[in-house]
């Protein structure tokens, strides 16, 4: 259900909208935290280090995806606030086209050069195969990250910040169950943790999609809305790409630190991984 955020008490509106967004951000970080805990408990220190050694690259690449989607949702929100509903739907359509492009543009090269990126970060030789088997699946799931984040961004753009959080809670719980099923029961090893993450994220995206399709008639695209617009695409890119780069730039320090720690060996990588997964909950998207 849409919600007009342009009328009412400003502080109350901001608070009621921002709190679910804040917790949604935390639960998105929860995916990798769960992988880390379960992998460490069931597969040992080297496996924990393997997953942890991909953390900075994961933040660098996935952060860009999240930032782009956040940026793309801004023109949609502006048109909704201005009650320019036809233009709003055209922005949604053009955002979908750009998301499809970015999904292909990022997924193919990162999957192909996954091992090279790990070698560049000086990933210890005793864990690089495990790290690759985990990270290549996460990278193959980049379209899923885009899928959930653009859908949740559009839903938030029309005033509903709670529903994406509810779906994220469901998928976070599912991620735990799938991690345990794939690792403890089916013995898939580290790839099982990656599969659990991608599947649970895909389900959160599907829940957002069907909810948006059934509850938000204002967002249903007609033939007239499906118009490729160079101007609208440039507007979306002008906001989305800088926001994506802003997310990624903050990860550069982590990438440099990761490469420095990797040369010390897997024990040190596992130790840093544990600390990082805890500290990430003390940073917010509102910094």
């Amino acid at each position: 259900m849409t919600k007009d955020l342009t009328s009412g008490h400003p502080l109350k509106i901001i608070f009621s909208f921002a709190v679910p967004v804040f917790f949604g951000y935390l639960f998105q970080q929860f995916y990798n935290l769960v992988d880390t805990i379960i992998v460490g408990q069931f597969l040992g220190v080297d496996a924990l280090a393997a997953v942890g050694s991909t953390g900075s690259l994961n933040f660098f690449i996935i952060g860009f995806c999240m930032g782009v989607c956040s940026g793309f949702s801004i023109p949609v929100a502006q048109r909704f606030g201005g009650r320019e509903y036809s233009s709003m739907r055209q922005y949604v359509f053009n955002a979908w086209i750009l998301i499809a492009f970015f999904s292909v543009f990022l997924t193919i090269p990162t999957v192909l050069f996954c091992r090279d990126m790990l070698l560049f970060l000086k990933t210890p030789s005793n864990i690089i195969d495990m790290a690759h088997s985990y990270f290549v699946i996460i990278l193959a799931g980049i379209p899923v990250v885009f899928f959930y984040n653009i859908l949740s961004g559009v839903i938030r753009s029309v005033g509903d910040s709670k529903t994406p959080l509810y779906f994220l809670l469901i998928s976070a719980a599912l991620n735990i169950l799938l991690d345990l099923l794939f690792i403890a029961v089916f013995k898939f090893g580290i790839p099982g943790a990656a599969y659990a993450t991608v599947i649970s994220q895909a389900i959160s995206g599907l829940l957002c999609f069907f909810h948006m399709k059934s509850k938000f008639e204002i967002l249903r695209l007609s033939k007239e809305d499906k118009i490729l617009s160079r101007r609208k695409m440039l507007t979306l890119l002008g906001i989305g790409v800088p926001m994506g780069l802003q997310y990624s730039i903050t990860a550069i320090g982590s990438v440099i630190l990761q490469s420095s720690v990797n040369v010390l060996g897997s024990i040190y990588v596992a130790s840093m991984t544990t600390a990082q997964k805890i500290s990430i909950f003390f940073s917010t998207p509102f910094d």
Side-chain angles (χ1 to χ4, degrees):
M1 183 177 297
T2 61
K3 182 179 180 181
D4 185 0
L5 302 180
T6 62
S7 60
H9 194 282
L11 184 60
K12 182 179 179 181
I13 291 173
I14 292 172
F15 187 78
S16 63
F17 183 84
V19 169
V21 175
F22 170 76
F23 282 105
Y25 171 83
L26 291 184
F27 274 98
Q28 281 199 284
Q29 307 309 314
F30 186 70
Y31 283 115
N32 289 326
L33 175 64
V34 169
D35 286 349
T36 303
I37 293 172
I38 295 177
V39 165
Q41 289 292 320
F42 287 92
L43 300 179
V45 173
D46 282 350
L48 174 61
V51 172
S53 68
T54 69
S56 58
L57 278 175
N58 189 31
F59 181 38
F60 183 81
I61 297 168
I62 302 303
F64 178 79
C65 303
M66 294 170 62
V68 166
C69 292
S70 296
F72 283 1
S73 67
I74 290 175
V76 178
Q78 290 172 334
R79 298 321 180 272
F80 174 70
R83 294 174 173 79
E84 302 172 30
Y85 301 130
S86 177
S87 179
M88 177 193 71
R89 288 188 291 269
Q90 290 173 19
Y91 269 107
V92 171
F93 175 72
N94 282 271
W96 273 111
I97 299 300
L98 289 173
I99 286 299
F101 169 78
F102 275 110
S103 295
V104 174
F105 179 76
L106 283 178
T107 303
I108 293 177
T110 54
V111 167
L112 290 177
F113 295 103
C114 178
R115 181 175 288 272
D116 296 298
M117 290 189 291
L118 294 173
L119 287 171
F120 178 76
L121 285 186
K122 303 180 179 65
T123 305
S125 58
N126 64 314
I127 62 171
I128 192 169
D129 288 336
M130 289 189 289
H132 180 267
S133 67
Y134 172 81
F135 197 40
V136 74
I137 297 169
I138 296 295
L139 294 174
I142 284 176
V144 170
V145 177
F146 273 121
F147 182 59
Y148 167 76
N149 281 282
I150 192 61
L151 284 167
S152 62
V154 170
I155 291 174
R156 293 187 189 104
S157 295
V158 295
D160 182 3
S161 63
K162 294 180 181 178
T163 300
L165 173 61
Y166 298 150
F167 292 153
L168 203 57
L169 290 171
I170 292 171
S171 62
L174 179 63
N175 189 33
I176 296 174
L177 294 175
L178 290 177
D179 267 328
L180 292 171
L181 181 67
F182 291 162
I183 294 175
V185 179
F186 293 158
K187 308 298 182 183
F188 286 173
I190 286 182
Y195 285 125
T197 295
V198 173
I199 291 170
S200 55
Q201 285 180 328
I203 288 175
S204 63
L206 287 171
L207 289 172
C208 284
F209 176 77
F210 289 116
H211 177 75
M212 187 175 75
K213 189 174 181 181
S214 63
K215 300 295 183 181
F216 295 97
E217 186 174 351
I218 196 174
L219 291 171
R220 293 176 187 171
L221 302 180
S222 65
K223 185 178 180 180
E224 291 74 23
D225 299 321
K226 298 177 181 178
I227 300 173
L228 290 176
S229 169
R230 182 173 178 271
R231 182 178 62 83
K232 287 182 170 60
M233 284 190 174
L234 288 175
T235 298
L236 290 164
L237 291 171
I239 300 174
V241 172
M243 287 191 67
L245 292 175
Q246 178 182 326
Y247 276 56
S248 292
I249 286 171
T250 60
I252 291 177
S254 297
V255 172
I256 295 172
L257 176 62
Q258 185 75 64
S259 64
S260 300
V261 173
N262 283 348
V263 299
L264 300 176
S266 57
I267 293 293
Y268 292 90
V269 176
S271 301
M272 189 181 80
T273 298
T274 304
Q276 281 184 332
K277 296 302 180 181
I278 296 173
S279 67
I280 199 169
F281 282 90
F282 295 93
S283 62
T284 76
F286 309 112
D287 288 345

